[in-house]
Amino acid sequence: MTAVRNVYIGQEIERTEDFRFLTGRGTFVDDYEPTGLLHAAILRSSVAHGRIRKIDASAAIKMAGVHAVITAADIGEKIPTIPIRLAPIKGLERYLQPVIATEKVRYVGEPIAVVLAETRAIAEDATAEIELEIETLAPVPDWRVAETDSTLLVEQNGTNVATRYAVGSGDADAAFAIADYTRREFFHAHRHTAVPMETRGLVAEWDAANERLVVTGATKVTFFNRRALAAMMQMPESAIDFIEIDVGGGFGVRGEFYPEDFLIPFAARMTRRPVKWIEDRTEHLQAANHSREIDCELEIACRHDGTILALRGRIHGDMGAYTRTNSGVVPAKAAQFLHGPYRIPAVKFDVAAYMTSKTPIGTYRAPGRFEANFFRERLIDMAARDLNIDPVEFRRKNLIATNEMPYSIGKLVPYENESAYDSGDYHVALEKCLAAFGWQEKKNLQGRNIDGRYHGLAVTCFVESGGAGPRENVRMLLERDGRVTVAIGSSVLGQGLETVFAQIAADALELPFEAFRVLHGSTTLLDEGFGTYHSRAVVMGGSAILDGAKNLLSAIRAAASLQFNCRADEVSIDGGKAKGPDGRTLTFAALAAAAGPISANGTFANAQRTFSYGAHAAHVAVDARTGHVAVLDYVAVEDVGRAINPALVHGQTLGAVVQGLGGVFLDHLIYDANAQLLNASLADYLLPTATDFPHIRGVTLELHRSPSNPLGAKGAGEGGMVAVAATAANAVAAALSSFGVQPNDLPLSPPRIWQLLRDAASGRQRAP
Amino acid sequence: MKAPRFEYVRPTRLEDAIGFLARHGGDAKAIAGGQSLVPMMAFRLAAPRLLVDIGRIPGLNGIAVDDDGIRLGALVRWRDIERSAELQRAHPLLVEAVRHVAHYQIRNRGTVGGSLAHADPAAEMPGIAVTCDAQIVVVGPRGRRIIAAAEFFAAALSTTLAADELIIEVQLPPWRDNRRWAFEEFARRRGDFALAGVALFYDGGADGTATNIHIGAIGVGDTPVRLTAAESAVEAKRITASIIRDAGAAAAASVKPADDIHAPGEYRRALLGVLTERALARAAGLALREDA
Ligand SMILES: Cc1cc2nc3c(=O)[nH]c(=O)nc-3n(C[C@H](O)[C@H](O)[C@H](O)COP(=O)(O)OP(=O)(O)OC[C@H]3O[C@@H](n4cnc5c(N)ncnc54)[C@H](O)[C@@H]3O)c2cc1C
């Protein structure tokens, strides 16, 4: 590893992107208007489960301004299915989603037809004129119904149970048999999802002369998606360009391959016109991946003194109607992260995934973790209370110690190798959280009723993985004017990576930050890139930049050696200048002007994940009569190894906590008993707004760098989210402990809390 | 989520506006602030062929206060009410209720007439109109008529206004000096439509008794309602903690809200009881003991 000078890394540099965004000069996909554009609207199923008897678009196609209507019949004999990108768990591959419904529809929102028209409004008018006959079949509204196999979503599979597997380490059953204390509870994490500010959207342009396709609005995993599309359209990969422009948030859902990612390019090729599709909010709520819906039965075994002996449980994942690109991550990670930051000698988890007639599941920021931490930390607070041990002491007793690092948790994921936590001081993170929060000072508020509001406090601990491999690539180009263009395979979805990557590159090349321009995501930039997910962009992309910078410096030395007439190893480099053995110097700009642009590639490959960790604490006040919860204070502490730009890490933390609190108290995708989705807009899918959770504090630690990458960085985008349900729900439980209320079902909406209190009160009355 | 095709006119005379509505029957709709109608059109829940913009008709945006009461023109916007020092004195309950309407951007555009005509069961202005015995002045091809607020709201999003009539004004009876009042609502987030809300006022006698009690509720039925049972629990009595409890219980018992995506009916009903108690306590200047 080259010793990197530290001028920009670690500085709170203002985002270079912001000027563009704040002055209205961002370019998002809907801003892109090539001439000759057709607009697409998609006819979606309004039935949860049914057999398509008839699709007749003849009236629609005759309407003025309508150009074409595409149904399954137009796509060909074999309807392509969307491949799995992550979490290839055996069994899931039997439920891949066809890009358009053929014989059956299996969720409300499934695409049935695409209308192409001169305007989006006309296209919408025409979708209403498509004659559709669907014979409704019994819905499969949840995993319990799915498990009975009384109605099959995919008949030839013979079952709705997509997969079942068991993972573990140690002998959990034996530990339970001899434990002093055990407790078992049922938990439910509810269906909700990311809902980024900008919905999905694409513009596809077909170049008939050269048989090339350009897809603008791509993001997240552009290279993978291009490969998938090429296979589906039977085109060479190299004939397709995926172009990433500004993106208004992703959080996991944006940028995966969805049916529209085939349908819109297909439409462009078919009509030989550019086609634009911008997802509206109603569509977004039906069509983009849902997430989080996991039921968990969890059991803990302890000694009287609170030492955890074992954890065992069952994860039931409601997968929705199809396996999409990363669906398996959700239940798999919900199981893996049950282990958490504790020394647990034995764990055993049974995982099952069920197909239901609802929108398919995929990853959403902190996938599986938000759920797993909620399940485990709730149970720990209950166990601590039963054993009469202070919940903080209980955690201190069981947290993994620094000298146990790396700490193996065994192979808890069927498609991954054994995992080991890489580094950290989990105890210090907890103490720092307690101190920042003021636990000692606030402790006496626990459970108290002050003016009709019950106060509750909680602290929880977590680990979080990031930095998925296998690789990331970069190309760095010293331009004739001395500026450096960094082209990277990571995607930018609004996190400020243009700034962060420039900071890393500037330090590595000892050039001013302003000399850099960062290009990202598009498949035109590099041969191969891996994108942005799993908090990997800085870990993988940032490390690739270090390699690219090293190679660029070698190339600069080589170029300079020709100018100085010396050997390359005789050239020294200092502050943007190359210096020959005779003392002559050339600035990089002069060198590039003389020798032409100089470029180098960089790559970073790594199969090791980073494990950030930390603790969250919350202080809530519950209005027991309305069920409203006010979050009076929230502190999130995370050790990210190395914060390249602390201001941006801080922003990630605050944003993640707010998003997490939304997930606890507000966000909820509601289905009725017929698997009808009831949320149609942001008036009924409630997102947190600026005034809902104003009291949030983030503390970024840089205690233990990751040993697995040269920057020492760990993932930093999701740690603010992982423990929010755990912490908030424990704080609510603590507030209402005098009623014996256990909030084990999310979301903690006012009616839910009111109901819990009412049940507790009637239970009290019934008791003798 | 694009509106279907429509035509648009912006007459500057009331008669012309009414003429358009009358000629196009149910196919035409007035548009004022557009904050309810435009979203309905985008969702294709409304598809008028003709929009008659009434925003340029003079004389509909006045706020007048005199001995006979308060008159608000149909085009008076939420922000006009919020910022009116005169209304703050002349009808503090109205001003307080309007502060709970939606968000800043929407309050800049939404109008009194639009809200009354739209008749959302959880909207504040219809609640105030019903609570305060407002009179709604409407004009149509057959002339002018006055409809009592109690007769105006027919069902959710439905009124007794004819398709070719326009609201031009709402009149609120005069406010008394010794009046006590409160407005309480509960919404999931600031600016959301309330899950339930209570508006009330009474005249406080020298001996502490409450007379002329008016209690109205929003969000608990198809239309805003007067809570007459709760009123009876309070009328001509001194307000004490136990009267407050009685009134809350009477309020809750008198409604039967339906279940919906936002809350079960039982919750709204219990919430109404709590809000009634809180509003009464606030009006009377009493502190409530609230356990659960
Ligand atoms: C996100 C959001 C949140 C909201 N939250 C709230 C809230 O908390 N509380 C609340 O009360 N409202 C809320 N609203 C609604 C808002 O207050 C509207 O502005 C109001 O209900 C309608 O007023 P408008 O002037 O915008 O009417 P428009 O949208 O222009 O019209 C609404 C209806 O009234 C008819 N109409 C308008 N003016 C007249 C007239 N003079 N005579 C006859 N008919 C007429 C129209 O034909 C149409 O049918 C919210 C709106 C939004 C978008």
Side-chain angles (χ1 to χ4, degrees):
Chain A
M1 169 191 155
T2 35
V4 172
R5 199 182 50 149
N6 237 356
V7 175
Y8 296 106
I9 291 180
Q11 298 299 310
E12 303 207 327
I13 301 210
E14 269 186 36
R15 304 197 330 163
T16 33
E17 297 89 332
D18 285 349
F19 183 72
R20 173 168 98 235
F21 291 145
L22 295 174
T23 54
R25 278 177 247 177
T27 307
F28 298 86
V29 59
D30 201 19
D31 297 322
Y32 182 54
E33 284 292 321
T35 48
L37 201 54
L38 288 176
H39 295 264
I42 296 172
L43 174 68
R44 297 175 184 278
S45 177
S46 59
V47 172
H49 187 200
R51 202 171 299 284
I52 300 175
R53 291 294 178 208
K54 182 176 159 197
I55 309 176
D56 180 356
S58 52
I61 207 151
K62 287 194 205 103
M63 291 171 68
V66 173
H67 204 83
V69 178
I70 300 173
T71 65
D74 302 292
I75 287 174
E77 288 279 283
K78 201 166 154 347
I79 303 296
T81 55
I82 296 171
I84 294 177
R85 182 174 71 81
L86 293 177
I89 303 169
K90 187 149 177 32
L92 297 186
E93 74 288 346
R94 294 172 298 162
Y95 298 90
L96 299 184
Q97 177 162 14
V99 294
I100 196 161
T102 48
E103 285 136 45
K104 279 180 81 175
V105 288
R106 298 186 175 87
Y107 65 94
V108 171
E110 182 163 3
I112 295 172
V114 184
V115 178
L116 303 166
E118 296 301 326
T119 67
R120 167 78 185 213
I122 295 173
E124 284 186 27
D125 290 345
T127 58
E129 300 305 320
I130 297 176
E131 220 189 299
L132 192 61
E133 259 179 55
I134 297 181
E135 173 197 339
T136 54
L137 299 171
V140 184
D142 58 42
W143 71 262
R144 286 189 175 81
V145 174
E147 194 181 27
T148 65
D149 284 334
S150 54
T151 302
L152 294 176
L153 281 174
V154 181
E155 284 80 1
Q156 72 259 29
N157 290 342
T159 178
N160 297 318
V161 184
T163 193
R164 278 187 203 279
Y165 65 84
V167 288
S169 67
D171 189 343
D173 293 343
F176 271 90
I178 58 151
D180 297 334
Y181 165 86
T182 67
R183 180 164 182 166
R184 186 164 57 141
E185 288 290 333
F186 292 85
F187 300 98
H188 170 70
H190 66 300
R191 194 172 262 256
H192 60 287
T193 191
V195 195
M197 183 108 68
E198 187 198 14
T199 57
R200 295 181 297 138
L202 291 172
V203 174
E205 293 167 271
W206 175 249
D207 170 355
N210 297 299
E211 301 212 318
R212 289 186 61 84
L213 183 67
V214 180
V215 179
T216 304
T219 188
K220 187 174 180 178
V221 284
T222 51
F223 287 86
F224 176 90
N225 289 351
R226 176 174 68 162
R227 199 170 317 135
L229 181 64
M232 293 178 190
M233 304 227 347
Q234 293 168 2
M235 286 174 64
E237 238 181 274
S238 56
I240 305 177
D241 295 335
F242 270 42
I243 306 298
E244 177 171 280
I245 52 178
D246 286 325
V247 175
F251 311 110
V253 304
R254 174 90 190 262
E256 290 294 337
F257 200 104
Y258 289 91
E260 299 83 2
D261 293 272
F262 168 82
L263 294 171
I264 302 308
F266 180 87
R269 184 172 66 179
M270 195 183 102
T271 59
R272 300 176 167 230
R273 297 261 304 259
V275 175
K276 177 186 273 191
W277 170 70
I278 302 294
E279 184 181 50
D280 69 30
R281 191 59 72 181
T282 306
E283 286 187 284
H284 180 75
L285 291 172
Q286 300 178 341
N289 287 338
H290 289 181
S291 198
R292 301 268 199 262
E293 189 170 14
I294 299 276
D295 276 3
C296 177
E297 181 187 337
L298 191 62
E299 205 175 358
I300 192 169
C302 303
R303 289 211 194 96
H304 284 309
D305 68 359
T307 306
I308 303 175
L309 299 175
L311 204 59
R312 69 182 174 197
R314 284 172 208 286
I315 291 287
H316 302 282
D318 179 330
M319 308 301 286
Y322 296 105
T323 300
R324 280 186 180 164
T325 53
N326 56 22
S327 304
V329 171
V330 179
K333 294 290 158 172
Q336 182 194 4
F337 282 88
L338 285 170
H339 196 303
Y342 304 105
R343 188 186 308 105
I344 306 182
V347 299
K348 182 181 159 192
F349 306 124
D350 294 310
V351 178
Y354 311 86
M355 308 315 291
T356 60
S357 50
K358 296 190 289 199
T359 299
I361 286 280
T363 62
Y364 165 31
R365 199 177 196 174
R369 288 83 159 164
F370 181 86
E371 302 90 310
N373 284 287
F374 166 65
F375 306 147
R376 182 195 62 248
E377 294 293 310
R378 280 293 297 122
L379 190 58
I380 283 180
D381 264 20
M382 290 187 227
R385 199 177 165 89
D386 288 347
L387 293 168
N388 219 349
I389 299 171
D390 177 83
V392 179
E393 275 313 314
F394 190 101
R395 291 182 169 82
R396 285 191 182 119
K397 187 177 215 41
N398 289 292
L399 279 176
I400 295 163
T402 315
N403 61 14
E404 295 172 86
M405 294 291 170
Y407 183 96
S408 169
I409 55 167
K411 181 174 155 64
L412 296 183
V413 180
Y415 55 88
E416 286 175 5
N417 297 328
E418 181 176 323
S419 291
Y421 301 153
D422 52 353
S423 64
D425 192 331
Y426 295 1
H427 287 266
V428 168
L430 172 59
E431 300 310 323
K432 291 211 183 269
C433 181
L434 293 168
F437 181 70
W439 185 266
Q440 277 308 325
E441 301 84 81
K442 289 183 177 140
K443 223 167 131 178
N444 66 337
L445 292 170
Q446 191 68 292
R448 272 179 56 192
N449 173 4
I450 302 169
D451 297 335
R453 295 201 303 171
Y454 291 80
H455 289 249
L457 314 171
V459 66
T460 65
C461 303
F462 69 92
V463 277
E464 159 63 351
S465 75
R471 257 183 323 283
E472 198 50 86
N473 299 320
V474 70
R475 187 175 152 77
M476 298 179 59
L477 180 70
L478 175 63
E479 313 267 7
R480 281 181 201 280
D481 58 5
R483 294 166 58 85
V484 178
T485 299
V486 177
I488 195 157
S490 310
S491 276
V492 177
L493 302 100
Q495 320 90 311
L497 288 174
E498 292 173 30
T499 307
V500 170
F501 286 149
Q503 287 177 261
I504 296 169
D507 274 357
L509 292 173
E510 301 187 12
L511 290 175
F513 174 78
E514 294 72 24
F516 290 86
R517 183 166 75 117
V518 176
L519 306 177
H520 47 79
S522 301
T523 58
T524 46
L525 299 171
L526 297 162
D527 293 338
E528 179 196 51
F530 293 87
T532 295
Y533 58 96
H534 194 250
S535 298
R536 74 186 298 280
V538 165
V539 172
M540 300 302 293
S543 297
I545 288 174
L546 294 188
D547 186 54
K550 191 182 75 192
N551 295 338
L552 185 63
L553 289 176
S554 300
I556 288 171
R557 276 196 203 89
S561 71
L562 298 178
Q563 304 290 324
F564 297 145
N565 211 357
C566 65
R567 291 200 319 272
D569 63 7
E570 291 172 325
V571 176
S572 59
I573 285 180
D574 182 30
K577 289 196 199 90
K579 189 171 167 197
D582 57 1
R584 273 191 294 163
T585 63
L586 270 177
T587 64
F588 287 179
L591 181 62
I598 302 169
S599 80
N601 293 331
T603 189
F604 179 68
N606 184 16
Q608 229 61 52
R609 277 146 189 230
T610 65
F611 286 90
S612 66
Y613 61 93
H616 287 195
H619 174 194
V620 304
V622 185
D623 179 339
R625 303 189 74 205
T626 63
H628 179 257
V629 179
V631 178
L632 302 182
D633 194 12
Y634 198 103
V635 172
V637 173
E638 185 182 20
D639 183 356
V640 300
R642 190 142 177 237
I644 308 303
N645 186 325
L648 297 199
V649 176
H650 192 65
Q652 286 289 323
T653 304
L654 299 191
V657 172
V658 173
Q659 208 169 24
L661 289 169
V664 177
F665 297 110
L666 296 166
D667 297 53
H668 191 188
L669 290 159
I670 304 173
Y671 280 88
D672 70 10
N674 291 319
Q676 262 301 331
L677 179 63
L678 302 181
N679 313 82
S681 76
L682 296 187
D684 40 38
Y685 186 88
L686 307 182
L687 290 171
T689 63
T691 53
D692 290 306
F693 305 112
H695 307 292
I696 297 169
R697 299 184 280 150
V699 178
T700 302
L701 303 178
E702 296 175 281
L703 298 175
H704 286 262
R705 291 190 177 184
S706 172
S708 66
N709 67 77
L711 281 169
K714 299 185 173 189
E718 300 175 84
M721 187 105 179
V722 295
V724 178
T727 315
N730 275 346
V732 169
L736 301 177
S737 59
S738 58
F739 302 92
V741 160
Q742 299 294 3
N744 294 351
D745 282 14
L746 296 175
L748 303 182
S749 62
R752 170 76 47 77
I753 288 175
W754 173 82
Q755 188 65 48
L756 283 171
L757 283 160
R758 213 160 74 133
D759 293 348
S762 62
R764 267 208 311 267
Q765 274 158 19
R766 272 201 306 276
Chain B
M1 217 183 273
K2 302 280 181 220
R5 209 185 152 76
F6 59 86
E7 302 295 323
Y8 172 89
V9 289
R10 193 166 64 191
T12 51
R13 297 179 344 149
L14 187 58
E15 308 83 271
D16 295 344
I18 290 164
F20 279 118
L21 293 176
R23 275 198 302 283
H24 291 82
D27 282 345
K29 255 195 173 306
I31 181 166
Q35 300 301 292
S36 295
L37 184 54
V38 173
M40 300 264 289
M41 290 168 64
F43 280 107
R44 297 186 173 228
L45 297 171
R49 296 266 176 78
L50 176 67
L51 284 187
V52 182
D53 188 338
I54 59 172
R56 295 288 166 93
I57 297 174
L60 295 184
N61 54 5
I63 297 177
V65 179
D66 60 26
D67 292 347
D68 296 333
I70 292 134
R71 284 176 290 136
L72 305 173
L75 290 178
V76 168
R77 294 169 196 272
W78 306 131
R79 283 295 274 172
D80 302 332
I81 295 175
E82 268 182 285
R83 281 194 285 203
S84 161
E86 193 179 24
L87 284 178
Q88 186 62 57
R89 278 188 306 274
H91 211 297
L93 175 60
L94 167 70
V95 177
E96 176 65 15
V98 162
R99 290 207 171 102
H100 289 79
V101 175
H103 313 276
Y104 178 82
Q105 295 88 333
I106 294 161
R107 288 204 302 276
N108 276 333
R109 288 193 161 266
T111 66
V112 166
S115 179
L116 293 171
H118 185 62
D120 190 294
E124 285 80 2
M125 189 66 214
I128 291 298
V130 166
T131 307
C132 299
D133 297 319
Q135 309 268 15
I136 295 163
V137 184
V138 311
V139 175
R142 295 160 302 281
R144 174 185 152 112
R145 61 182 182 127
I146 293 185
I147 311 171
E151 315 284 299
F152 187 78
F153 301 101
L157 308 185
S158 152
T159 68
T160 54
L161 196 67
D164 54 7
E165 283 180 316
L166 281 174
I167 299 171
I168 57 163
E169 186 175 283
V170 56
Q171 302 173 345
L172 296 165
W175 197 249
R176 299 248 185 85
D177 281 344
N178 58 350
R179 193 155 271 183
R180 310 205 65 128
W181 60 275
F183 183 84
E184 286 280 340
E185 74 167 45
F186 184 83
R188 294 292 302 276
R189 301 169 303 181
R190 172 94 212 158
D192 282 344
F193 276 107
L195 294 185
V198 172
L200 62 81
F201 67 86
Y202 61 85
D203 295 321
D207 56 353
T209 53
T211 55
N212 189 30
I213 178 93
H214 282 62
I215 310 180
I218 55 173
V220 291
D222 265 7
T223 64
V225 287
R226 278 286 282 278
L227 301 175
T228 49
E231 289 173 351
S232 307
V234 178
E235 182 68 25
K237 302 206 175 89
R238 273 195 55 191
I239 295 184
T240 61
S242 89
I243 294 286
I244 288 174
R245 294 272 178 207
D246 291 350
S254 66
V255 297
K256 215 173 171 337
D259 296 344
D260 67 16
I261 177 173
H262 300 291
E266 276 302 289
Y267 173 80
R268 285 186 198 253
R269 169 198 277 228
L271 185 61
L272 179 69
V274 174
L275 295 174
T276 304
E277 287 183 22
R278 287 182 180 171
L280 264 176
R282 165 122 56 117
L286 294 175
L288 269 190
R289 253 210 73 189
E290 303 206 58
D291 293 334

